[in-house]
Amino acid sequence: MHQIIDTHAHYDHKQFNPDREELLGSMATQGVQTIINVGCSLPSSKASVALAEAYSFIYATVGVHPHDAKALSDKALQQLEALCDHDKVVAYGEIGLDFYHNFSPPDVQRHWFKEQLHLAASLGLPVVIHSRDSADETFSMIEKSPLRRGVIHSFSGDAALAWAYANMGFHIGIGGPVTFDKTKRLQNVVDTLPLDKILLETDCPYLTPTPFRGKRNNSSYLTYVADAIAEIKGVTAEEICAQTSENAQLLFGI
């Protein structure tokens, strides 16, 4: 059985309220050895830490997503910094820019992205980056920051951008979309990138892979992502799981 690390999950999401305990209790028997639950607001960061405290195989990240940037303040940032003292917090994020939805005004997103990048750097934590319709600006802001460790989550750029991030020291997060028919660009990214730069992630409950697309995602479905990457790379799924797990362990110190 593959041993998988899901580097980006949201099990604090309300979609898991009916069966969270049962689902998480089944992960070991489905080959999922470790899950990183990602914070995207102050409340969800607290919930992520609580999940990490409750389950030995769950770790947490802390941060505020660009959608929620408008809710950030200096006081909230101090609370996030305090949460990072927890020994199971392994990264800072999910942070970045999202100019597709603009749920927070772009200038507000920029301000708090910069502030959170500097906080992560001061804490010595890798970052989990969200970028949507903001590829050039996200890259530029990261390049200007002192950070050189982290993951570009749910990567949607081209191979040139993936290589630019990889050369800067970052990993590329690959999930369900690599199994979709119309993601040739992403499949090309996977084809050209070295395996030691790829991480497996679900973004559950979102981005469910084929053949479960349209249903709620969970970490056990990463076997389909590993199979898709293995086919592109011409190696076994076991090799994909082993290498991506090693990559995650090294990046997050788990």
Side-chain angles (χ1 to χ4, degrees):
M1 183 186 288
H2 309 337
Q3 289 296 306
I4 283 174
I5 295 180
D6 184 353
T7 61
H8 195 116
H10 298 285
Y11 282 106
D12 56 297
H13 194 284
K14 64 185 178 184
Q15 283 193 39
F16 293 109
N17 286 354
D19 60 347
R20 182 179 293 109
E21 199 169 321
E22 181 185 354
L23 184 61
L24 290 173
S26 73
M27 284 301 159
T29 62
Q30 300 187 78
V32 179
Q33 65 186 42
T34 303
I35 294 167
I36 296 175
N37 205 79
V38 173
C40 49
S41 65
L42 182 56
S44 86
S45 294
K46 291 176 178 176
S48 292
V49 171
L51 274 172
E53 286 178 338
Y55 294 89
S56 61
F57 63 94
I58 296 182
Y59 293 84
T61 79
V62 166
V64 174
H65 190 287
H67 289 348
D68 289 287
K70 61 183 179 290
L72 252 173
S73 63
D74 290 335
K75 183 180 178 184
L77 202 64
Q78 289 171 347
Q79 290 177 274
L80 290 161
E81 183 175 3
L83 279 175
C84 291
D85 285 340
H86 197 284
D87 62 1
K88 292 196 80 179
V89 171
V90 295
Y92 195 95
E94 171 179 1
I95 61 174
L97 299 172
D98 191 315
F99 299 152
Y100 178 79
H101 288 295
N102 279 328
F103 289 150
S104 289
D107 281 348
V108 173
Q109 292 186 45
R110 292 181 183 104
H111 172 76
W112 289 113
F113 184 30
K114 185 177 180 181
E115 291 292 313
Q116 291 186 100
L117 282 171
H118 283 284
L119 176 56
S122 72
L123 295 168
L125 288 170
V127 283
V128 179
I129 300 295
H130 174 102
S131 174
R132 189 166 186 192
D133 284 11
S134 59
D136 292 346
E137 196 166 344
T138 302
F139 183 87
S140 174
M141 288 184 69
I142 293 170
E143 192 176 34
K144 289 172 184 170
S145 83
L147 283 155
R148 292 298 179 264
R149 283 193 316 136
V151 55
I152 313 305
H153 153 61
S154 191
F155 187 78
S156 59
D158 60 16
L161 182 62
W163 271 101
Y165 274 120
N167 289 332
M168 218 196 314
F170 286 82
H171 288 75
I172 302 299
I174 304 294
V178 79
T179 69
F180 303 166
D181 288 335
K182 295 180 179 178
T183 52
K184 298 294 182 228
R185 184 165 78 162
L186 180 59
Q187 290 160 7
N188 183 55
V189 166
V190 169
D191 189 26
T192 59
L193 264 188
L195 253 184
D196 64 358
K197 286 297 181 181
I198 292 173
L199 298 176
L200 297 184
E201 58 174 35
T202 56
D203 201 26
C204 66
Y206 309 112
L207 298 180
T208 312
T210 304
F212 300 106
R213 196 172 179 186
K215 297 180 177 160
R216 186 187 68 178
N217 200 4
N218 75 75
S219 303
S220 71
Y221 294 163
L222 276 175
T223 54
Y224 297 93
V225 176
D227 287 343
I229 296 172
E231 188 174 344
I232 293 166
K233 289 290 202 185
V235 299
T236 66
E238 284 78 10
E239 287 176 73
I240 299 300
C241 293
Q243 182 63 62
T244 55
S245 292
E246 184 181 323
N247 299 345
Q249 287 164 341
L250 287 170
L251 176 61
F252 297 112
I254 52 178

